[in-house]
Amino acid sequence: MSFQTAVFYLFAAILVFAALRVISVKSPVHAALWLVLSFFTAAGIWLLLGAEFLAIALVLVYVGAVMVLFLFVVMMLDVNFEEMRRHFRSYLPVGAAVGGLVLLEMVLVILSGTKGAGSAAAPAAGSNTKALGRLLYVDYVYPFELAAVLLLVAIVAAIALTYRRRRETKIQDVAEQVKVRREDRVRLVRMPAEKREG
Amino acid sequence: MDALIAPVRDFLGPAWLPIWTLVKIVALVVPLILGVAYLTLVERKVIGYMQVRIGPNRVGPFGLLQPFADVFKLIFKEIVVPTGANRYLFFIAPILAIGPAVAAWAVVPLTDTLVIADVNAGLLYLLAMTSMGVYGIILAGWASNSKYAFLGALRSAAQIVSYELAMGFALVAVLMCASSLNLREIVLGQEGGAAYWYVWPLLPMFVVYIVSGIAETNRHPFDLAEGESEIVAGFHVEYSGVSFAVFFLAEYMNMILIATLASVLFLGGWLSPFPILNDVLIGGFAPFGDGLLWLGAKVAFVLFIFLWVRATFPRYRYDQVMRLGWKVFIPLTLVWIVFIGTMMQTRFAPLFH
């Protein structure tokens, strides 16, 4: 067994274990942290495949940004576990059915669609950032731009739908502050020195 | 050198690569930790003199042994775990803070040949590693089971995520100039003296990078995560002894990292600003040639800016920090990236390479 294979099995074992812990631990904060670990090991496996750009982007985007915001929200949750677990039995059949369906779909995909995908030649080391850039910005530039515009619209829509200006909050107008000159605020008074009494 | 190493390599066989890598890592990390120790002393001295004080001068000549006194004091202190704290996360948090701070150094080239891993996507790797440092802070705040620590962690998380964007865009500008993600090639792209450094075409980006760097490392005037006047000491209020020392180490190591990166990306790394002097021999040596000394001088200069800023400015208010990040830096960097891209298509293109 070569060194790379050994590392792969190590990462794979950690990944599977961490993914299992994500759905089995009680505390949502711990679940989020296990998810971070599984993202990280998945990035390690991608690195072994020679997909260094994807691996680093996974760490940068998901571990570095998305999961931080996720933890941010999850940490502030005040979850009552007794309340959550009370309906466990009544929801079990529906949950099991959905889970079974997903499992079936995955098995079907794995059994049918792997032809060709697994045999993709490993790209020459180092060039894959450049190759991806060429694909995104030259070959598929219109779909890529379209996706970008779609995301922008989604951002604007999310803000427009949820933003409401509250009357009672006071907001600093920085431009107004910067515009202020000394003459507007300070008045120099010239007065003669006075003699001290007594 | 090779004649010395070869027999050891043959003796160790397949174990050679991991052992040799470990030796290289130790050779990098030990000087770094010493650097951190003396950075704390320099900080206290510099701020002392700026405030017309002398600073530490009791332990050893000129206070030179002060860092060791501090370290021994911290080592012998008790580690107190607060009631209701999450024990595992409480102890993992400092490790998560220092891990990325050390790991990022793997791709930083100190000279043309002195680098642990000459990775092609070095710049991306650095971004990924520095973005992970925030976990140490968030977890420390959450696991301490303390309101102040938690508030500090939330502030810091929001701040670091915001400034990372501006920092990333500043790096994008650098990689547009260098047309490479490899840090060694970025430095080599600035060859030819001080006039060719990227700091000139990218001056606004340099400023954005330094200020974001100060914000990323939670340093004054952006140290709202600590904010001792409002939330005592923020995320590490419950930490004591060695676990506190590790947070301290991580913060200073990040500072040195940011300073080194600023030197490598904008100030020509190990390259001399006056290549004419490269071959001038004084006593058989070429003291002004390209090398570690120039990098050291540049890093020291950027670190001095960090300390200078700390001694000079009052702390920002939280909404002002957010405004600076989102409404000033991000638009500025975006505009500058478009500007550089446009200029590269004109006849002024050589100015931007």
Side-chain angles (χ1 to χ4, degrees):
Chain A
M1 191 161 68
S2 73
F3 180 65
Q4 289 211 342
T5 327
V7 173
F8 169 77
Y9 280 115
L10 179 70
F11 277 169
I14 297 176
L15 177 56
V16 171
F17 178 72
L20 280 177
R21 293 300 280 168
V22 173
I23 51 172
S24 61
V25 289
K26 269 189 246 164
S27 149
V29 172
H30 289 179
L33 288 173
W34 283 111
L35 190 58
V36 169
L37 180 63
S38 50
F39 278 141
F40 203 72
T41 37
I45 291 178
W46 284 2
L47 265 187
L48 282 178
L49 288 173
E52 58 177 13
F53 182 83
L54 281 181
I56 295 175
L58 180 72
V59 173
L60 185 61
V61 175
Y62 282 91
V63 177
V66 174
M67 287 312 292
V68 172
L69 297 179
F70 211 80
L71 263 181
F72 204 98
V73 175
V74 162
M75 277 177 178
M76 285 189 281
L77 287 181
D78 190 19
V79 189
N80 185 352
F81 290 109
E82 290 308 308
E83 180 66 24
M84 266 176 68
R85 233 167 292 146
R86 219 176 54 200
H87 305 293
F88 183 74
R89 272 174 185 282
S90 55
Y91 286 136
L92 190 62
V94 184
V98 172
L101 198 66
V102 171
L103 187 70
L104 186 73
E105 282 175 356
M106 278 166 74
V107 168
L108 284 177
V109 167
I110 288 169
L111 286 184
S112 67
T114 50
K115 271 173 239 154
S119 63
S127 64
N128 71 47
T129 308
K130 210 170 226 166
L132 265 176
R134 190 160 292 281
L135 276 180
L136 281 182
Y137 292 105
V138 178
D139 296 353
Y140 295 100
V141 62
Y142 292 121
F144 181 70
E145 296 288 328
L146 213 62
V149 171
L150 198 66
L151 279 176
L152 184 67
V153 170
I155 294 171
V156 173
I159 294 174
L161 287 177
T162 56
Y163 182 74
R164 57 201 162 91
R165 184 180 285 283
R166 282 161 52 189
R167 291 267 163 139
E168 67 271 25
T169 49
K170 287 179 180 157
I171 296 174
Q172 217 174 8
D173 188 351
V174 180
E176 201 75 7
Q177 288 179 318
V178 171
K179 250 192 301 184
V180 167
R181 294 275 80 96
R182 180 165 144 275
E183 292 77 43
D184 307 337
R185 297 285 165 91
V186 184
R187 189 165 57 93
L188 281 183
V189 185
R190 181 178 286 277
M191 57 186 293
E194 286 175 26
K195 264 230 173 98
R196 201 166 145 196
E197 281 163 42
Chain B
M1 188 70 182
D2 255 0
L4 269 175
I5 292 174
V8 186
R9 180 167 51 204
D10 296 338
F11 174 70
L12 286 172
W16 164 253
L17 187 67
I19 290 181
W20 181 232
T21 314
L22 262 181
V23 169
K24 285 197 270 191
I25 292 172
V26 170
L28 181 72
V29 170
V30 169
L32 254 183
I33 291 178
L34 278 178
V36 167
Y38 277 95
L39 180 58
T40 60
L41 179 68
V42 170
E43 173 171 39
R44 291 165 71 179
K45 279 280 186 190
V46 166
I47 294 179
Y49 279 110
M50 283 184 179
Q51 297 168 346
V52 206
R53 295 184 284 117
I54 296 177
N57 67 341
R58 292 287 114 178
V59 193
F62 309 108
L64 278 179
L65 296 178
Q66 182 71 41
F68 296 99
D70 293 340
V71 167
F72 286 123
K73 185 189 118 186
L74 282 173
I75 286 175
F76 287 117
K77 284 211 166 184
E78 185 188 356
I79 297 179
V80 184
V81 183
T83 345
N86 190 315
R87 275 191 85 88
Y88 293 109
L89 291 182
F90 188 76
F91 287 117
I92 287 176
I95 301 172
L96 281 180
I98 201 167
V102 179
W105 280 92
V107 297
V108 178
L110 299 177
T111 69
D112 200 4
T113 48
L114 200 61
V115 52
I116 289 182
D118 195 11
V119 184
N120 273 311
L123 207 57
L124 274 174
Y125 172 85
L126 273 173
L127 267 178
M129 281 301 137
T130 46
S131 70
M132 279 175 50
V134 65
Y135 279 99
I137 293 175
I138 301 188
L139 288 182
W142 187 75
S144 304
N145 188 29
S146 150
K147 296 257 185 320
Y148 290 126
F150 188 54
L151 283 175
L154 289 184
R155 282 182 175 195
S156 146
Q159 181 182 328
I160 291 182
V161 170
S162 320
Y163 277 86
E164 207 147 76
L165 291 171
M167 212 171 187
F169 282 134
L171 296 185
V172 167
V174 171
L175 86 89
M176 280 172 77
C177 282
S179 42
S180 168
L181 283 167
N182 181 311
L183 290 170
R184 207 174 60 85
E185 282 171 24
I186 289 175
V187 174
L188 291 179
Q190 307 175 55
E191 209 153 23
Y196 294 84
W197 292 351
Y198 291 148
V199 63
W200 306 120
L202 302 177
L203 193 59
M205 299 298 95
F206 179 65
V207 175
V208 167
Y209 185 80
I210 296 275
V211 179
S212 311
I214 298 176
E216 282 268 294
T217 45
N218 279 321
R219 295 278 306 171
H220 203 93
F222 302 107
D223 58 345
L224 294 140
E226 294 183 27
E228 52 279 88
S229 55
E230 309 125 40
I231 49 173
V232 207
F235 62 92
H236 57 44
V237 64
E238 303 292 349
Y239 283 83
S240 56
V242 179
S243 53
F244 171 73
V246 172
F247 271 120
F248 208 74
L249 201 62
E251 178 182 329
Y252 280 77
M253 223 174 234
N254 272 324
M255 257 171 83
I256 302 182
L257 179 72
I258 299 278
T260 313
L261 285 180
S263 320
V264 165
L265 299 172
F266 295 98
L267 301 174
W270 64 82
L271 296 173
S272 155
F274 316 109
I276 265 182
L277 296 178
N278 273 3
D279 299 321
V280 177
L281 291 181
I282 297 177
F285 292 102
F288 303 114
D290 297 342
L292 266 181
L293 278 179
W294 279 117
L295 183 67
K298 290 166 187 171
V299 172
F301 169 70
V302 179
L303 282 174
F304 180 74
I305 295 182
F306 274 46
L307 306 183
W308 192 5
V309 164
R310 176 171 172 193
T312 313
F313 289 108
R315 181 179 290 137
Y316 267 63
R317 214 173 50 208
Y318 195 71
D319 60 315
Q320 291 170 331
V321 171
M322 284 298 152
R323 180 180 168 271
L324 183 69
W326 287 100
K327 292 189 179 170
V328 180
F329 280 180
I330 292 177
L332 179 66
T333 46
L334 281 175
V335 166
W336 203 258
I337 286 173
V338 175
F339 172 70
I340 293 170
T342 320
M343 289 310 272
M344 277 177 172
Q345 305 303 320
T346 66
R347 63 199 168 90
F348 299 108
L351 290 176
F352 294 89
H353 276 291

